[in-house]
Amino acid sequence: EPDEKIQTMLNQQFHYVLKRFTPALQRALPSLPPVDFFWRIHFLVGSMAHTMADSERLRSISSGLCDPDDTEGTIRRLVTFLNAGLKAKAD
Amino acid sequence: EPDEKIQTMLNQQFHYVLKRFTPALQRALPSLPPVDFFWRIHFLVGSMAHTMADSERLRSISSGLCDPDDTEGTIRRLVTFLNAGLKAKAD
């Protein structure tokens, strides 16, 4: 299945990118306990990988409302969502 | 690859669950434009599927800080993250 190959490739790419970006993200979230930080990075990777690998299905789920070809809109919405999730107060 | 089979199975399960939960989630987020609502559900599915299919890797990425076997802790952290992401003001 191409989707699965893409998923694997994306995961490898994300691992490399995260190794570079993790220190900067940790500096941006200094009050978040490290255990919560890593969990949130994990959730973030899930959202990003799913968005890059499998957004075409969203077109039908949303009855055509969502356009996965709208890259700028997708990134803007993803950033809004992840920004709020990353900044949430840990319980 | 077992992970890919699990991923496919989870996606099918999520599709069924989302068909049942989408109306309730939409009622809980009445001010969110539908296009943003569907995108956020998509991001949510990514985080959930990735967490259920692929959390063992997180143990090594976090140098053992995160315990994917801690189901209660995982759910609590996922809910905190998704709750904030879903409720973010759409730009």
Side-chain angles (χ1 to χ4, degrees), chain A residues 25-46:
Chain A
L25 278 165
Q26 266 183 312
R27 280 198 299 275
L29 299 161
S31 63
L32 195 62
V35 58
D36 292 288
F37 174 79
F38 284 108
W39 271 111
R40 290 189 189 180
I41 293 302
H42 190 66
F43 304 147
L44 168 149
V45 168

Side-chain angles (χ1 to χ4, degrees), chain A residues 7-26:
Chain A
Q7 195 84 32
T8 304
M9 188 199 75
L10 286 171
N11 279 341
Q12 288 166 348
Q13 289 288 321
F14 272 119
H15 188 73
Y16 171 75
V17 170
L18 281 174
K19 264 180 82 170
R20 298 192 58 141
F21 281 86
T22 296
L25 278 165
Q26 266 183 312

Side-chain angles (χ1 to χ4, degrees), chain B residues 4-75:
Chain B
E4 291 166 356
K5 278 188 192 152
I6 292 171
Q7 195 84 32
T8 303
M9 187 197 77
L10 287 171
N11 279 341
Q12 288 167 347
Q13 288 289 320
F14 272 120
H15 188 72
Y16 171 75
V17 170
L18 281 174
K19 265 180 83 170
R20 298 193 58 141
F21 281 86
T22 296
L25 277 166
Q26 266 183 311
R27 281 197 299 276
L29 299 161
S31 63
L32 196 62
V35 58
D36 293 286
F37 174 80
F38 283 109
W39 271 111
R40 291 190 188 180
I41 294 301
H42 190 65
F43 303 147
L44 170 149
V45 168
S47 295
M48 289 179 75
H50 188 57
T51 299
M52 293 173 81
D54 195 30
S55 286
E56 203 51 46
R57 191 185 307 171
L58 179 60
R59 202 189 294 276
S60 60
I61 290 172
S62 69
S63 310
L65 268 179
C66 299
D67 176 14
D69 296 330
D70 172 14
T71 307
E72 291 304 318
T74 301
I75 292 171

Side-chain angles (χ1 to χ4, degrees), chain A residues 36 43 47 55 77 80 91, chain B residues 36 42-43 47 55 77 80 91:
Chain A
D36 292 288
F43 304 147
S47 294
S55 285
R77 291 187 172 97
T80 299
D91 343 69
Chain B
D36 293 286
H42 190 65
F43 303 147
S47 295
S55 286
R77 292 188 171 95
T80 299
D91 345 67

Side-chain angles (χ1 to χ4, degrees), chain A residues 61-80:
Chain A
I61 290 172
S62 69
S63 309
L65 268 178
C66 299
D67 176 13
D69 295 331
D70 173 14
T71 307
E72 291 302 318
T74 301
I75 292 172
R76 192 184 68 242
R77 291 187 172 97
L78 189 53
V79 167
T80 299

